[in-house]
Amino acid sequence: MRTFPPLALAAALAATLLLTACDDDKTGGDDAKNADRPGGTACAIGDLGVEVGAGAAPAAGDTGNVTVTLTNQGGACVLKGFPAVDLLAEDSTTSVSPEQTAKAQTLTLGKGGTTSFTITYVRGEKGSPKSLPVRKASFALPGATADARDLPWSYGEVARRDGSGGAAQASVSGFESSGD
């Protein structure tokens, strides 16, 4: 039987414990489905007040921003990941991906606490097959994609990435802390 020096044995044990402590929680595009339920109660859309502010893109090719501010009217809750956002036209729906550089974070909202996320889009040319004639945006909280809130869209058509039939040129930020 081979014996290991105490330092080598301790290092091997620490590595084993580190590997077994890892879990399968992923960050990225699926975060809207991975709510943080064990460490706190996930926020419910019915407990949040919604306010929308926009810096609409003035002309085709310009970039605009739609900021959605959420105010917690219930008990303390947790948001983890990204909001799930869809842009809806009369005959199609397209999902909006998280910003490429955005990192998912866990955010705890106390009663009265606020957070916001931003939908950034490129305005399309009205009536063009290379544009999506968006009529409303729909968003859901992480882990609760069945409970969505619809918002009217009055910011013009949204350009498509690859011409007609392509995904919308839009992205969504993660939840940002607001206030103190």
Side-chain angles (χ1 to χ4, degrees):
M1 183 164 155
R2 183 172 180 181
T3 61
F4 294 98
L7 189 55
L9 185 58
L13 181 59
T16 302
L17 290 173
L18 180 64
L19 290 174
T20 58
C22 294
D23 65 14
D24 290 328
D25 186 24
K26 305 280 191 255
T27 56
D30 290 333
D31 280 330
K33 298 173 187 143
N34 296 328
D36 184 16
R37 296 187 190 276
T41 302
C43 294
I45 205 160
D47 291 338
L48 300 174
V50 178
E51 186 177 319
V52 179
D62 291 342
T63 300
N65 295 298
V66 178
T67 301
V68 179
T69 302
L70 307 173
T71 302
N72 185 11
Q73 298 168 341
C77 64
V78 176
L79 293 168
K80 179 181 179 187
F82 295 94
V85 176
D86 291 325
L87 298 177
L88 296 92
E90 287 182 24
D91 60 351
S92 64
T93 299
T94 186
S95 293
V96 177
S97 298
E99 292 174 353
Q100 289 183 348
T101 59
K103 300 275 188 224
Q105 65 176 338
T106 300
L107 183 66
T108 301
L109 284 180
K111 184 172 181 138
T114 61
T115 186
S116 63
F117 64 89
T118 301
I119 303 166
T120 301
Y121 70 99
V122 175
R123 186 161 178 174
E125 186 178 330
K126 185 174 180 159
S128 170
K130 296 180 179 182
S131 298
L132 182 67
V134 177
R135 299 295 173 244
K136 64 182 171 180
S138 177
F139 76 91
L141 300 177
T145 54
D147 295 326
R149 175 79 58 92
D150 290 342
L151 306 170
W153 187 270
S154 58
Y155 316 112
E157 296 189 16
V158 177
R160 295 182 185 265
R161 290 192 192 286
D162 299 319
S164 62
Q169 287 189 39
S171 63
V172 63
S173 71
F175 293 102
E176 301 290 330
S177 296
S178 298
D180 295 335

